Amino acid sequence: MSAATRDDLIRRPHPRLSPFVGDYVAYDVSGVPAGTHLGLPSGTLTFIVSIDEPLHQYDAATESTESFDVLLAGLHLRPTLIRHNGAMAGIQINFTPFAPRILFDTPAVDLAHRTHDLAEISRPVAAELHERVNEATTWSARFDAIDEVLVRAVHEGTQPRPEVVSSWKQIARSHGGLPVSLVANRIGWSRRHLNGVFRAEFGIGPKEAARVMRFDRARRMISAQSRTLADIAATCGYADQSHLNRDFRLLTGTSPSLWLTQDPVVRQDRDRWSLDR
């Protein structure tokens, strides 16, 4: 593939999708040593359409590898391991946890803590996405194809309770900075009731959602390398740098410095541009 600028590789979705679908981020990794890339927890569901080669996810517990042309990973609190031979390409579509209901009539809880082959959830959408994205020859055309397929998939399905939607959006807007007790008070529920209904919808509780959103913001700043870890910790709401380091290790299995230096995919992305959007 030809070289592309940062603006070429990122696009907002069609306006009809924007209330529940985040940006599209293309990646084209090449020329790095073969190895394992960490897919990190975040406040979005990861939806990836691979280009040319499938994406290969390794399960260390079973020592097995599963390959995906189009994958949808639910909210999770542990890293996923992506094996590559030094090159991989595709488009990541960042889903809010409301998108699976609207596009596939599937609540986010049914997808949580696992990676799914989209063909098992919606075979026609998976097949068309993969075919059209791989037939297109420019990033712009690939993004257009995703817009067209997903807009047609939108339907009026069962929606989560408004209080649950509001609580998620409050946590997301604050990057995990709002206390869960305050979120519960704002929607008129007890903290215990919010935790139960929230977990039943998304597969993680509000405190866990706040934690991964805070982490994801910090991770982007760490990747940009424009601030010290102490400054990032203060900006993102950690008690101190040690707190940031502990949380980072719990969610990734490694430290910020090792993550930056030992994952060649992260290094290449960092050297090209910052994705701290």
Side-chain angles (χ1 to χ4, degrees):
M1 299 180 191
S2 59
T5 68
R6 180 173 184 266
D7 288 342
D8 291 333
L9 297 178
I10 301 174
R11 184 195 281 186
R12 297 292 299 171
H14 186 281
R16 192 174 180 195
L17 301 171
S18 60
F20 49 90
V21 177
D23 49 9
Y24 304 159
V25 181
Y27 61 89
D28 183 10
V29 176
S30 61
V32 301
T36 301
H37 170 62
L38 289 181
L40 301 182
S42 75
T44 61
L45 282 73
T46 302
F47 184 22
I48 293 178
V49 183
S50 64
I51 296 174
D52 296 332
E53 293 294 323
L55 187 146
H56 306 290
Q57 182 171 307
Y58 177 69
D59 186 335
T62 61
E63 297 185 345
S64 61
T65 301
E66 190 171 4
S67 300
F68 301 90
D69 288 328
V70 185
L71 71 81
L72 178 56
L75 295 169
H76 56 100
L77 303 174
R78 293 289 182 270
T80 55
L81 305 178
I82 308 301
R83 288 282 176 85
H84 61 88
N85 62 5
M88 55 180 179
I91 296 176
Q92 177 170 317
I93 305 160
N94 294 310
F95 268 15
T96 74
F98 314 114
R101 277 193 182 275
I102 294 169
L103 295 170
F104 311 125
D105 203 24
T106 301
V109 65
D110 288 353
L111 307 172
H113 308 292
R114 284 188 53 211
T115 300
H116 306 261
D117 187 331
L118 187 66
E120 299 173 357
I121 300 168
S122 180
R123 183 175 296 277
V125 172
E128 186 177 3
L129 276 173
H130 189 254
E131 179 180 359
R132 293 189 59 182
V133 166
N134 278 267
E135 285 179 347
T137 57
T138 66
W139 292 115
S140 179
R142 295 178 185 115
F143 292 145
D144 288 344
I146 293 171
D147 270 346
E148 291 172 14
V149 174
L150 294 187
V151 165
R152 279 193 278 106
V154 172
H155 66 281
E156 296 297 329
T158 304
Q159 299 302 308
R161 295 179 63 171
E163 295 91 344
V164 178
V165 174
S166 175
S167 62
W168 179 276
K169 289 182 176 179
Q170 288 182 56
I171 294 169
R173 283 195 297 265
S174 70
H175 302 288
L178 283 180
V180 175
S181 57
L182 177 57
V183 175
N185 287 339
R186 286 180 173 179
I187 63 171
W189 286 359
S190 70
R191 180 170 176 170
R192 180 177 180 180
H193 185 59
L194 171 61
N195 183 70
V197 178
F198 194 102
R199 190 179 297 276
E201 178 64 31
F202 303 126
I204 62 174
K207 186 175 181 179
E208 293 165 329
R211 183 184 179 197
V212 296
M213 290 179 194
R214 182 171 61 241
F215 159 78
D216 191 49
R217 185 185 186 195
R219 188 267 305 173
R220 293 178 186 278
M221 292 181 180
I222 291 167
S223 178
Q225 291 191 295
S226 59
R227 305 185 186 188
T228 66
L229 285 178
D231 186 29
I232 292 170
T235 300
C236 295
Y238 292 93
D240 52 29
Q241 183 177 332
S242 295
H243 183 199
L244 167 59
N245 286 333
R246 287 195 304 272
D247 219 41
F248 197 99
R249 187 174 291 277
L250 284 170
L251 287 168
T252 69
T254 189
S255 68
S257 59
L258 290 177
W259 173 67
L260 280 173
T261 58
Q262 293 188 351
D263 189 334
V265 175
V266 174
R267 288 202 308 273
Q268 185 177 96
D269 197 43
R270 179 196 65 204
D271 292 341
R272 286 177 173 173
W273 45 72
S274 165
L275 288 182
D276 183 25
R277 300 184 301 282

